[in-house]
Amino acid sequence: MPGEADWVAMREVVPAATATARTNAEYGSKDIVVASLIPGMLPALHRTDGVIMVALQTPSTSGDPSRDVAAALIEILETEPGTSLDHFELPGPGPRLQDVLDTDHPFEVTVHEGFDFVVPEGVEPEPELKAALEEFAQLTIPTVKVPGVEAAYWCRMGAREFLRWSRTEDEEQLLDALARLHAKRESGLDSDARFIGAFRSSGLVVPVWELARGTEAEEIEGLLGPYQERLVAALAVGEPLNADERRARAGIVSRQVTLR
């Protein structure tokens, strides 16, 4: 799917973000808003102003997130404005997002500090909803999308800063490339931003770097282009891993976690 790395990042590492998408002609060619999360953990929402919203982070999953989100989207498309999808049965086989969306439509992510995006512009939320939005906002991890590259997200967890970069390369090839860089002590973004491992979600690998304490998102923007070039060069190497690279790869894999 277009923007696949960002779809996975929004589902796994970005607390509050939205992106625009469009259904295909079979499903009405309607503009929709894809949200990382809708407060109340709602799968989907039809706002009072007619905007259709569907969430990627939900409490229940069938194991096929593309099918789950598509089913919620199809259901909410048939509702009246002001409807929320409070109860959602996990779907069986059926259309997936690739079957429902116009895949030529760009998928561009906007990261938010809170969840006010669920309320139509110019509308004052009811006190109960306002309190819920504030509560969810307090639980979010400060996150910034780093410009210039696809699906790279800076975040601050307590007193520590990290970069999590969702990648679309073949998993085995990417792990080999990271191992080649790690064996040469080139896996860090620079001397102060060390590569600490990766996790796997929805078939993609998301490498993670720990940054120097206090590093802001804009301070690493200039590092990602050169690192991308080093990684692309490592991906192009066709020779088998040497002994040092195999040890480096084994260390990366031993720390890898799969998120479902």
Side-chain angles (χ1 to χ4, degrees):
M1 290 182 60
E4 182 180 8
D6 277 316
W7 279 92
V8 172
M10 285 181 64
R11 183 171 184 262
E12 299 295 353
V13 305
V14 184
T18 57
T20 57
R22 179 176 298 146
T23 61
N24 58 30
E26 182 180 354
Y27 291 92
S29 298
K30 295 183 179 180
D31 290 332
I32 66 166
V33 174
V34 178
S36 54
L37 181 150
I38 298 175
M41 304 305 292
L42 300 176
L45 173 69
H46 195 163
R47 284 191 340 199
T48 55
D49 60 352
V51 171
I52 295 286
M53 306 189 75
V54 64
L56 300 183
Q57 298 177 27
T58 56
S60 301
T61 175
S62 68
D64 183 351
S66 182
R67 171 63 184 135
D68 295 343
V69 177
L73 174 57
I74 292 170
E75 186 170 339
I76 202 70
L77 284 171
E78 301 301 322
T79 64
E80 295 296 323
T83 303
S84 60
L85 198 58
D86 300 308
H87 180 70
F88 180 64
E89 295 290 343
L90 292 180
R96 306 173 77 239
L97 284 171
Q98 295 88 329
D99 306 312
V100 176
L101 297 181
D102 176 358
T103 54
D104 290 329
H105 191 275
F107 190 78
E108 298 177 356
V109 177
T110 300
V111 178
H112 305 272
E113 293 184 359
F115 297 90
D116 290 345
F117 58 78
V118 302
V119 181
E121 188 174 352
V123 174
E124 180 65 24
E126 296 292 330
E128 184 177 348
L129 175 58
K130 186 175 182 179
L133 295 178
E134 291 174 352
E135 180 181 357
F136 268 82
Q138 290 172 0
L139 298 175
T140 61
I141 296 170
T143 301
V144 175
K145 191 177 193 302
V146 183
V149 296
E150 183 182 16
Y153 292 87
W154 168 98
C155 69
R156 174 169 285 132
M157 299 182 184
R160 303 165 70 186
E161 290 79 25
F162 299 89
L163 175 74
R164 299 178 286 188
W165 196 351
S166 182
R167 309 288 308 190
T168 58
E169 292 88 357
D170 173 80
E171 178 180 359
E172 298 302 318
Q173 292 178 351
L174 179 58
L175 291 174
D176 281 354
L178 290 170
R180 295 183 195 279
L181 294 178
H182 199 60
K184 295 191 297 182
R185 300 182 183 275
E186 295 180 0
S187 59
L189 299 179
D190 64 7
S191 59
D192 295 321
R194 64 187 185 94
F195 172 66
I196 60 173
F199 62 87
R200 183 180 185 275
S201 177
S202 301
L204 300 189
V205 174
V206 183
V208 181
W209 289 263
E210 182 170 3
L211 310 175
R213 295 290 177 92
T215 300
E216 301 294 339
E218 61 269 18
E219 296 178 63
I220 62 170
E221 181 179 348
L223 302 177
L224 300 194
Y227 191 91
Q228 174 88 341
E229 293 177 3
R230 297 204 302 274
L231 185 59
V232 168
L235 284 163
V237 176
E239 300 173 1
L241 300 179
N242 62 34
D244 290 339
E245 292 165 347
R246 289 197 300 271
R247 282 192 291 270
R249 192 186 196 281
I252 294 170
V253 171
S254 69
R255 299 190 301 270
Q256 190 178 6
V257 176
T258 298
L259 303 180
R260 300 189 185 279

